[in-house]
C-alpha cells in the first residue's frame, strides 16, 4: 500500500498541508522542532488510529484550534485506491472512515495500512519497562492477525475484573475469580503462542540485519520470557491467589511477559553503548518490517525519524544501503543533516520527493 496524497489540518504545529508523495522515498529536511516528526506522526495516526507520542487524542489538535483532520489517499498493488479519513473536534469522539464509511470498531482498521516507525524514543525498548517490549510485540502481531487484537482485549478485560475483585476489602466471590482466571488463562495462552512464534521467526532476520549494520562487530539475541513457560497458565495464576490478594493485583500472567535483549552474554541495557543500543533497536524495527512483509505480502511503510544520531559513519552507510534495496517499499525519512539525505538519494537511485519543513510549513 502506497500513500499517494496526504492532507493535514491543525495537526500539532502543522496548520495546513497538501502533499503529493513519492511511492518510494520521501525526505523531510529541517531543524529540530519545526514539524518533521509531526508529519510522520500524522502518517502513523492514519495507520493505527492514534498518535505515536500520546494516547490523548485532543493533544494532537493545534494550539488555538478546535479540531484536526487527516486524510490519506492510498494505492493498492492492483491500482485500486483507498481513502482514509480521521477528524475530531475538541470534547467529542474522533471519527475514522475508510472510503467515506465510518468504522464500527477502530480495531477493524488495524492492519489495513501496515507501518513500522523508527524514532529516537525507541531506546525506551531497551531502557524502559517490560510494557514497552510487550507493546512492540502487540503492535506488529496485530497488523497481520486480527484475532490477536481481539484476544488481547479480552485478556485485558479479564485482568481488570480480577484485579477489581482482588482489591475488595471483603473476601471476593471465589466463583467469580474462577471465571476471570479461566478467561485470563485461555486468552493468555493464545497470546503466548503467537508472541513466541513471532520472536522465534523474527530473531534470525534481526541478527542478520544487526550483523550487517555493525559489520559483524557484535553478536545479539532476543529471549522471550513468560509465566506460560512455567506450566499451565491457569495453575500459575491460581498458585499465588492469596499473595495477589495481599498485593491487590495479579502478579502472574502474560501481562508480565518480557523480552531479554542481549549483546553477547549480557543485557544490552547494562553493557551496550549508545551506538550499540541505537543499532539494536534499528535492526529490530527493520526486522519487524521484513517479517511483516512476509506475513501480509507487501512491504509496510517505513518511517525513519532522525535515526542517524549517535551512529558512526560506517553504520549510517550500512543502513542507507539496506533501506535502499527492493525489500523496502515506501519510506519517509527526516533529518536535520542534508548530507545524510543526499547520500540516501544518491545510494538508492530511485524516485523521491524532498520537502523542507520550517515552523509547521512544508514545501516541496
Amino acid at each position: 500500500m502506497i500513500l499517494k496524497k496526504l492532507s493535514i489540518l491543525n495537526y500539532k504545529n502543522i496548520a495546513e498541508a497538501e502533499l503529493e508523495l513519492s511511492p518510494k522515498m520521501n525526505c523531510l529536511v529541517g531543524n529540530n522542532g519545526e514539524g518533521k516528526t509531526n508529519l510522520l506522526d500524522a502518517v502513523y495516526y492514519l495507520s493505527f488510529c492514534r498518535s505515536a507520542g500520546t494516547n490523548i487524542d485532543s493533544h494532537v489538535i493545534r494550539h488555538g484550534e478546535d479540531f484536526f483532520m487527516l486524510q490519506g489517499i492510498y494505492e493498492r498493488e492492483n491500482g485500486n485506491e483507498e481513502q482514509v479519513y480521521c477528524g475530531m473536534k475538541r470534547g467529542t469522539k474522533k471519527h475514522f472512515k475508510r472510503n467515506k464509511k465510518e468504522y464500527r470498531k477502530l480495531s477493524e482498521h488495524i492492519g489495513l495500512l501496515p507501518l513500522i516507525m523508527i524514532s529516537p524514543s525507541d531506546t525506551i525498548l531497551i531502557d524502559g519497562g517490560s510494557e514497552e517490549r510487550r507493546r512492540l510485540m502487540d503492535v506488529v502481531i496485530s497488523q497481520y492477525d486480527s484475532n490477536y487484537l481481539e484476544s488481547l482485549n479480552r485478556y485485558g478485560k479479564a485482568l481488570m475484573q480480577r484485579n477489581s475483585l482482588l482489591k475488595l476489602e471483603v473476601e471476593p466471590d471465589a466463583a467469580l475469580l474462577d471465571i476471570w482466571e479461566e478467561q485470563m488463562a485461555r486468552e493468555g495462552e493464545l497470546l503466548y503462542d503467537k508472541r513466541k512464534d513471532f520472536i522465534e521467526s523474527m530473531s534470525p532476520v534481526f541478527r542478520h540485519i544487526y550483523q550487517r549494520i555493525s559489520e559483524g562487530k557484535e553478536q545479539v539475541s532476543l529471549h522471550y520470557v513468560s509465566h506460560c513457560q512455567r506450566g499451565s497458565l491457569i495453575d500459575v495464576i491460581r498458585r499465588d491467589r492469596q499473595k495477589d490478594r495481599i498485593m491487590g493485583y495479579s502478579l502472574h500472567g502474560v501481562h508480565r511477559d518480557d523480552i531479554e535483549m542481549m549483546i553477547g552474554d549480557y543485557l544490552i541495557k547494562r553493557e551496550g553503548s549508545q551506538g550499540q543500543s541505537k543499532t539494536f533497536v534499528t535492526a529490530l524495527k527493520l526486522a519487524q518490517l521484513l517479517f511483516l512483509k512476509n506475513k501480509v505480502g507487501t512491504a509496510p511503510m517505513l518511517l525513519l525519524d532522525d535515526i542517524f544520531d549517535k551512529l558512526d559513519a560506517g553504520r549510517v552507510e550500512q543502513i542507507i544501503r539496506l533501506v535502499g534495496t527492493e525489500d523496502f517499499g515506501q519510506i519517509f525519512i527526516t533529518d536535520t543533516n542534508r548530507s545524510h539525505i543526499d547520500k540516501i538519494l544518491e545510494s538508492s537511485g530511485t524516485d523521491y520527493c524532498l520537502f523542507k519543513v520550517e515552523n509547521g510549513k512544508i514545501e516541496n
Side-chain angles (χ1 to χ4, degrees):
M1 194 86 77
I2 299 299
L3 178 55
K4 293 175 61 180
K5 296 180 181 179
L6 176 64
S7 301
I8 303 174
L9 276 177
N10 299 330
Y11 193 85
K12 298 191 174 181
N13 78 327
I14 303 173
E16 184 176 3
E18 292 279 347
L19 305 178
E20 294 194 6
L21 301 163
S22 164
K24 182 60 181 176
M25 197 79 70
N26 297 278
C27 303
L28 301 134
V29 181
N31 294 326
N32 291 325
E34 300 293 339
K36 303 186 304 299
T37 300
N38 294 341
L39 189 144
L40 295 192
D41 196 57
V43 177
Y44 184 97
Y45 203 113
L46 286 171
S47 282
F48 292 105
C49 309
R50 62 179 294 272
S51 165
T54 177
N55 290 322
I56 303 174
D57 291 308
S58 61
H59 285 184
V60 306
I61 300 175
R62 188 167 179 257
H63 293 309
E65 301 294 341
D66 294 325
F67 73 98
F68 83 89
M69 185 280 292
L70 301 173
Q71 181 171 281
I73 305 296
Y74 297 80
E75 185 177 284
R76 290 184 173 274
E77 289 73 13
N78 60 11
N80 292 338
E81 286 192 349
E82 295 273 359
Q83 182 188 90
V84 177
Y85 164 93
C86 180
M88 191 186 94
K89 293 182 180 179
R90 290 191 190 275
T92 67
K93 72 171 187 176
K94 63 188 170 191
H95 296 276
F96 229 94
K97 299 178 183 180
R98 175 185 176 188
N99 299 326
K100 300 183 179 181
K101 183 178 179 181
E102 188 150 5
Y103 282 103
R104 185 173 58 90
K105 295 189 299 182
L106 292 180
S107 60
E108 295 172 354
H109 179 70
I110 306 303
L112 176 69
L113 309 171
L115 179 150
I116 296 294
M117 182 173 183
I118 307 177
S119 73
S121 64
D122 286 334
T123 53
I124 199 172
L125 291 171
I126 293 173
D127 301 327
S130 60
E131 67 274 7
E132 302 294 341
R133 293 178 284 278
R134 287 192 298 276
R135 183 170 178 268
L136 176 147
M137 295 187 284
D138 295 341
V139 166
V140 178
I141 300 171
S142 61
Q143 290 188 74
Y144 65 83
D145 188 337
S146 59
N147 293 327
Y148 180 87
L149 194 55
E150 295 292 334
S151 186
L152 189 64
N153 289 335
R154 287 192 294 269
Y155 180 90
K157 178 183 176 181
L159 174 64
M160 182 177 67
Q161 294 292 342
R162 183 177 191 263
N163 285 346
S164 295
L165 291 172
L166 293 172
K167 288 182 173 70
L168 292 175
E169 293 184 8
V170 299
E171 193 62 26
D173 186 321
L176 274 178
L177 276 173
D178 286 344
I179 290 171
W180 295 121
E181 287 169 353
E182 287 166 6
Q183 182 165 330
M184 281 179 64
R186 182 170 58 253
E187 303 298 342
E189 288 181 346
L190 287 171
L191 296 171
Y192 167 73
D193 287 340
K194 293 177 187 292
R195 288 173 175 176
K196 180 172 177 285
D197 177 69
F198 166 63
I199 294 297
E200 289 179 350
S201 300
M202 185 196 63
S203 286
V205 183
F206 160 66
R207 290 194 297 270
H208 173 74
I209 293 176
Y210 189 99
Q211 286 286 296
R212 180 167 174 178
I213 296 174
S214 69
E215 298 179 279
K217 293 177 181 176
E218 300 109 21
Q219 299 292 325
V220 292
S221 59
L222 302 171
H223 303 293
Y224 177 35
V225 180
S226 174
H227 290 143
C228 286
Q229 293 158 346
R230 299 181 183 181
S232 170
L233 187 55
I234 189 66
D235 293 338
V236 173
I237 291 171
R238 286 181 174 164
R239 192 178 301 151
D240 285 321
R241 184 189 281 185
Q242 287 308 309
K243 187 183 294 185
D244 291 356
R245 181 85 173 96
I246 294 169
M247 298 299 295
Y249 57 88
S250 302
L251 292 167
H252 297 90
V254 297
H255 61 287
R256 312 281 291 205
D257 284 3
D258 203 350
I259 305 171
E260 291 181 344
M261 299 180 167
M262 313 294 291
I263 183 163
D265 297 325
Y266 302 95
L267 289 170
I268 192 167
K269 181 176 183 177
R270 297 176 186 169
E271 300 292 334
S273 67
Q274 286 186 328
Q276 288 169 333
S277 295
K278 188 68 175 281
T279 304
F280 196 101
V281 294
T282 300
L284 186 57
K285 289 295 192 77
L286 295 179
Q288 289 174 41
L289 184 145
L290 296 180
F291 175 86
L292 197 50
K293 177 185 178 183
N294 184 56
K295 284 287 187 180
V296 303
T298 185
M301 285 182 284
L302 175 61
L303 312 186
L304 302 174
D305 187 18
D306 194 23
I307 69 161
F308 303 116
D309 182 45
K310 297 183 176 65
L311 293 176
D312 60 46
R315 297 190 184 214
V316 168
E317 183 177 352
Q318 293 302 320
I319 293 172
I320 290 171
R321 288 181 178 178
L322 185 61
V323 300
T325 65
E326 293 182 357
D327 288 330
F328 295 85
Q330 190 177 29
I331 300 173
F332 293 77
I333 302 177
T334 74
D335 208 301
T336 57
N337 189 332
R338 175 64 189 267
S339 65
H340 285 159
I341 297 295
D342 288 339
K343 285 181 182 178
I344 292 168
L345 297 176
E346 182 182 348
S347 174
S348 66
T350 189
D351 182 84
Y352 70 90
C353 285
L354 180 62
F355 300 95
K356 178 183 177 182
V357 184
E358 187 174 1
N359 196 26
K361 295 180 180 180
I362 304 161
E363 298 179 358
N364 194 317

